[in-house]
Amino acid sequence: MAFMLSLLMALVLVSYGPGRSLGCYLSENHMLGARENLRLLARMNRLSPHPCLQDRKDFGLPQEMVEGNQLQKDQAISVLHEMLQQCFNLFYTEHSSAAWNTTLLEQLCTGLQQQLEDLDACLGPVMGEKDSDMGRMGPILTVKKYFQGIHVYLKEKEYSDCAWEIIRMEMMRALSSSTTLQKRLRKMGGDLNSL
């Protein structure tokens, strides 16, 4: 029995090859999901943006950080996960469900949840690295602050249709930037542990 377990473990390790992790890989399906989420956000458009122009605001998207040019492996994974989690939290609310087509909103939340589940396999090993906890906190706090500003804005605007339209466009920018980070991670072999 012990021999069989050893043999199975050896087969698993060989199939992943050197430097590969068990499950920390951004598949093509993950990337397709990211593109589909952007398409869903585009389809959720209910208003012409012109009447909402006076409601525009610069939320301070940390674009350079989100696009990952200055992030280490553990930071990139954590920032990507935090962006997707915060976006999911934003759209998975009672206020949001009143603003959007329910079918499109459910599809978006399902797509975001699937991307989060894909990244959960990567967060486990990264979260265990004690030395990098402080290095991840700065970028994560920046993302949280960005989304906090979005929540404050929506509340100030009393969750108006125009406010949600501005946020929809902002989330398209944010998810587009996070897609850039995902592409960068995938180009580096897809194995997030090898960044």
Side-chain angles (χ1 to χ4, degrees), residues 33-45:
R35 287 190 290 273
E36 180 59 22
N37 288 338
L38 284 169
R39 280 193 287 276
L40 286 167
L41 272 172
R43 288 179 52 205
M44 288 169 67
N45 182 10

Side-chain angles (χ1 to χ4, degrees), residues 36 51 68 71 77 79 82 85 111-112 114 119 123 134 136 140 145 149 160 167 185 190:
E36 180 59 22
L71 298 176
I77 295 166
V79 164
E82 189 65 29
Q85 184 66 59
L112 290 168
Q114 183 58 55
L119 285 174
L123 272 183
M134 292 309 290
R136 278 196 312 275
I140 288 174
K145 183 179 176 184
S160 70
I167 297 306
L185 293 172

